[in-house]
Amino acid sequence: MLTLTAAEVRVLGALIEKGITTPEYYPLSLNALVNACNQKSSRDPVMELSEADARTALFELEQLGLVRVQADSRVSKFEHLAYGKLGLGRPETAVLGLLLLRGPQTAAELRARAERMYTFDDVAAVTAVLDRLAAREEPLVVQLARQPGARESRWIHRLSGEVEAHSAAGVGAVPMAAPASDLQRRIGELEQLVQALEERVRALEGTSQASPG
């Protein structure tokens, strides 16, 4: 079983994401990779990796056969090898990449967030992918115990080793309020969404006013 560090998880996840969403800029230079790892959006937790952190993670991932370096240009560039090394198709890669970048998520959350990486017809399609990843001889994901009050259980990747600590809130656990940090993160995401929608509306209004009547 793989046991990646937090930095290695973030680097691999960022390479997977950018390889699908921005193929014109892929493979990534070290600088572009660090920026992708340290994005403030679509990352949980938000990290501040240095170039040295990224280099160390890349070296370890290369030793594991998960990353390849392209050094045939003036600037070395990096690409992931998860497709072949882990035997993944496009749907599995999209789901695993999201779990690497954003931590435990429900199937519904994964479907909504996967839109730029892969389009799933419905939540059942995501669940089918998760079930396949969990049914492997060495499972790549595991379903967590459903939290009190939650409608769905979340899934987590297993590339960082065992995940018993994440499933402590099992049957019979005492319900508790969500941590303040989690609430703040959710509020921040909603505020960003509202701001983006407001900017979109203003842009559309401006286009409408500029059009000849």
Side-chain angles (χ1 to χ4, degrees):
M1 179 188 299
L2 293 171
T3 307
L4 305 184
T5 65
E8 291 161 10
V9 165
R10 178 56 54 87
V11 165
L12 182 58
L15 287 173
I16 288 174
E17 179 193 59
K18 299 306 180 183
I20 297 175
T21 61
T22 57
E24 66 274 21
Y25 301 115
Y26 185 82
L28 299 182
S29 66
L30 180 62
N31 182 63
L33 176 59
V34 170
N35 289 336
C37 289
N38 294 339
Q39 279 184 207
K40 297 297 189 291
S41 61
S42 303
R43 301 290 185 265
D44 190 6
V46 171
M47 300 177 73
E48 289 292 339
L49 297 184
S50 65
E51 287 194 358
D53 295 329
R55 282 197 191 94
T56 299
L58 286 165
F59 175 80
E60 296 299 334
L61 291 169
E62 186 180 11
Q63 300 306 300
L64 293 170
L66 286 167
V67 163
R68 177 167 58 199
V69 183
Q70 290 190 359
D72 56 352
S73 63
R74 289 179 299 176
V75 177
S76 295
K77 295 190 175 182
F78 307 90
E79 62 181 336
H80 76 87
L81 301 175
Y83 290 111
K85 178 67 175 180
L86 301 178
L88 303 176
R90 180 67 169 268
E92 290 81 8
T93 304
V95 167
L96 185 62
L98 283 170
L99 291 175
L100 293 173
L101 290 175
R102 303 186 70 157
Q105 297 161 77
T106 66
E109 288 172 332
L110 287 166
R111 185 199 177 206
R113 294 166 177 171
E115 189 173 24
R116 294 182 62 209
M117 300 172 73
Y118 187 84
T119 301
F120 290 96
D121 292 334
D122 50 33
V123 174
V126 180
T127 302
V129 169
L130 290 164
D131 287 340
R132 289 199 297 272
L133 293 173
R136 291 181 168 217
E137 184 176 346
E138 289 192 3
L140 294 179
V141 304
V142 64
Q143 189 173 22
L144 302 177
R146 190 171 63 183
Q147 296 179 329
R151 296 180 59 186
E152 298 181 64
S153 56
R154 298 181 300 167
W155 294 76
I156 188 171
H157 72 82
R158 297 186 75 234
L159 297 189
S160 295
E162 298 297 336
V163 294
E164 286 87 349
H166 292 272
S167 56
V171 177
V174 177
M176 61 181 63
S181 59
D182 188 39
L183 290 175
Q184 291 171 355
R185 176 178 61 80
R186 294 179 185 177
I187 291 171
E189 290 179 349
L190 288 173
E191 288 176 343
Q192 289 178 0
L193 177 60
V194 170
Q195 182 178 356
L197 290 173
E198 289 176 343
E199 291 175 355
R200 180 81 178 272
V201 170
R202 285 196 294 269
L204 291 173
E205 289 177 343
T207 300
S208 176
Q209 292 172 2
S211 300

